[in-house]
Amino acid sequence: MHRLAFLAAASAVALAAPAQAEPLKIGIIESLSGAQTSTGRLYANAVEYGVDQINKAGGFNGEPVQVTEYDNAGGAPEAADKFRQAVADGVDIIFQGASSAIAGQLTEDVRKHNIRNAGHEVMFINLGGEAMELTGEKCQFYHFRFTTTAPMRVNALVNAMKADGDLGTKVYSINQNYSWGQDMQKAVEAAADTGGYEVVGEVLHDVNKIQDFAPFVARIKAAAPDTVFTGNWSNDLLLLMKATGDAGLDVTFATAFLDQPGNIANAGKTAIGHYIANNYDNAASDGKFAENYKAATGHYPIFVEGHSAFALAQLKQALDTLDFGGGEIDVTKIALALEDTTYDSPVGPISVRKADHQTIRPVVVSKVVENPKYPADDTDMGFQTVKVVPGEDAIYPVQDSCQMKRPGE
């Protein structure tokens, strides 16, 4: 073939070949170093598992979904820096879970970015920031909360423990001194009449700075409560459980995050009878998801992994309704589709409330027993389901402070 004819034919083929499709880009802005690493890594694991499931089913928009990790080192300023980096990398959706303080930073970063960059929005799927303000005064269209809040957990605990005769009439509250811990303290106070108890002591302490909780355990012991409520997580719960175990404190704990790895081992036999209200418990399901997760990751879903994986499955439901033809990703259309999803999780349906983007979801109440189906921390202890509270019974009204503006308003 003549050289010019060959080049012309080659050019024609190149022009006829379809352009590469635009991939959906997910960024995990998580605490992957520092005191919150044990929690942050589990959120990241679950997101990556969920992305793998989407990609095994064919990806989205003609390409595999791309996922990138960004380490915020457990700090809000660092998270803001990583958000700017993620935007520069073209990330469409960010995921984060460890710390309401960091979630507060990110949702504000997303809000400001989207105001300045209409048509090129970024969405924030919040897996663990439970501060009420995130769906209250800080609520905004591009933030979705795929977890519970303090009232949902506390009310479920109070009702289940009272029904089982394990609540008692004297309650102590110990929590971290920031938005989430303050919400927990308020929720414990608000449920006193329903629970029929008196709050005999309250503590709000520094976050992830205390190395020895023995003095706090001594104060709890002196107050002689029947039940101690705590929303503590990460090192603050691990060390509180260690101090409780060391002191042999005979009191029932009502918790939000007792299933965090290490807590049962730290508390030892004093953990038996402790309660947790959570988004998911392997023992509350038929076990199919747990086995699938183990087959993919090498371990059963623990702590925050279950409900975080469900968030990705629900995102997949939204993506399955969209077709961008390989072209530019439209995050606003993804958000609108996500609002209309209902995911049938192993513990019950999860939907999105359009007014504030709080998910309406089941709350699982469990307590620590010996010889469970799914042992924790290589011990002979683990969780037994007490009650699964349906989402419609667990949810509360939209906060008056949420004035969400929708696209086009």
Side-chain angles (χ1 to χ4, degrees):
M1 181 184 292
H2 191 278
R3 177 173 173 77
L4 290 178
F6 174 82
L7 290 175
S11 298
V13 171
L15 290 172
Q20 184 176 5
E22 180 73 18
L24 176 67
K25 295 182 179 180
I26 285 175
I28 304 169
I29 303 179
E30 198 47 86
S31 302
L32 303 176
S33 64
Q36 299 171 11
T37 305
S38 61
T39 300
R41 173 43 60 195
L42 293 177
Y43 279 117
N45 288 349
V47 172
E48 289 167 357
Y49 166 84
V51 170
D52 284 345
Q53 301 308 301
I54 294 173
N55 286 338
K56 286 178 180 177
F60 177 67
N61 206 36
E63 288 289 321
V65 176
Q66 296 179 8
V67 59
T68 305
E69 291 184 355
Y70 301 88
D71 180 13
N72 65 44
E78 292 86 351
D81 289 341
K82 297 303 182 183
F83 174 75
R84 287 189 286 271
Q85 183 180 340
V87 168
D89 292 341
V91 164
D92 303 297
I93 304 173
I94 62 171
F95 284 81
Q96 180 269 340
S99 172
S100 288
I102 292 174
Q105 176 70 55
L106 288 175
T107 196
E108 184 64 8
D109 289 340
V110 167
R111 186 186 69 82
K112 290 179 178 178
H113 167 84
N114 291 345
I115 290 173
R116 295 190 297 264
N117 298 274
H120 299 281
E121 288 82 4
V122 174
M123 189 164 75
F124 174 26
I125 294 183
N126 167 14
L127 300 174
E130 301 199 14
M132 293 294 288
E133 65 181 6
L134 295 170
T135 48
E137 56 266 34
K138 289 187 176 181
C139 79
Q140 50 112 349
F141 179 79
Y142 292 94
H143 165 269
F144 289 78
R145 173 154 46 202
F146 276 81
T147 186
T148 52
T149 58
M152 295 170 75
R153 293 190 190 252
V154 169
N155 293 341
L157 283 165
V158 168
N159 290 331
M161 293 178 70
K162 184 178 181 181
D164 276 12
D166 288 338
L167 183 60
T169 59
K170 295 189 295 182
V171 159
Y172 197 97
S173 175
I174 177 169
N175 292 285
Q176 296 152 315
N177 192 14
Y178 74 116
S179 51
W180 157 247
Q182 293 160 13
D183 285 345
M184 277 292 294
Q185 181 169 293
K186 291 175 185 176
V188 172
E189 293 169 352
D193 287 344
T194 299
Y197 58 76
E198 174 190 3
V199 179
V200 296
E202 295 179 320
V203 169
L204 289 171
H205 61 76
D206 290 341
V207 182
N208 285 322
K209 292 182 179 178
I210 296 166
Q211 299 303 312
D212 182 8
F213 275 83
F216 293 94
V217 171
R219 290 166 65 179
I220 294 171
K221 190 172 184 179
D226 301 302
T227 298
V228 176
F229 279 83
T230 184
N232 281 16
W233 58 281
S234 196
N235 270 9
D236 285 337
L237 186 57
L238 290 169
L239 294 176
L240 176 59
M241 287 297 103
K242 183 178 185 302
T244 299
D246 290 346
L249 182 63
D250 184 18
V251 66
T252 300
F253 271 79
T255 75
F257 303 115
L258 187 61
D259 57 343
Q260 177 185 340
N263 285 323
I264 300 299
N266 277 353
K269 294 298 182 181
T270 61
I272 295 173
H274 287 356
Y275 280 76
I276 178 175
N278 202 357
N279 288 282
Y280 170 74
D281 179 1
N282 290 321
S285 71
D286 61 10
K288 292 179 181 178
F289 165 72
E291 295 297 338
N292 290 339
Y293 196 91
K294 183 180 180 182
T297 66
H299 67 273
Y300 288 118
I302 54 175
F303 194 27
V304 299
E305 290 180 306
H307 81 267
S308 298
F310 303 155
L312 271 295
Q314 196 153 349
L315 174 62
K316 182 181 183 302
Q317 283 189 335
L319 297 177
D320 287 345
T321 68
L322 299 171
D323 183 0
F324 297 146
E328 186 175 357
I329 300 295
D330 189 329
V331 169
T332 299
K333 288 184 178 178
I334 295 175
L336 290 168
L338 189 58
E339 284 188 324
D340 289 331
T341 57
T342 297
Y343 176 65
D344 289 325
S345 84
V347 293
I350 300 169
S351 60
V352 178
R353 185 163 60 183
K354 292 185 179 182
D356 60 356
H357 287 180
Q358 169 63 45
T359 44
I360 301 173
R361 56 194 309 117
V363 180
V364 181
V365 180
S366 309
K367 67 178 178 181
V368 179
V369 298
E370 291 185 285
N371 302 314
K373 182 177 181 180
Y374 298 96
D377 297 341
D378 296 321
T379 70
D380 63 351
M381 297 176 290
F383 297 95
Q384 174 179 290
T385 305
V386 174
K387 183 178 184 180
V388 178
V389 181
E392 61 270 22
D393 294 337
I395 198 61
Y396 48 86
V398 176
Q399 298 172 76
D400 292 339
S401 57
C402 177
Q403 301 295 321
M404 182 185 290
K405 291 184 178 180
R406 300 181 63 79
E409 293 182 350

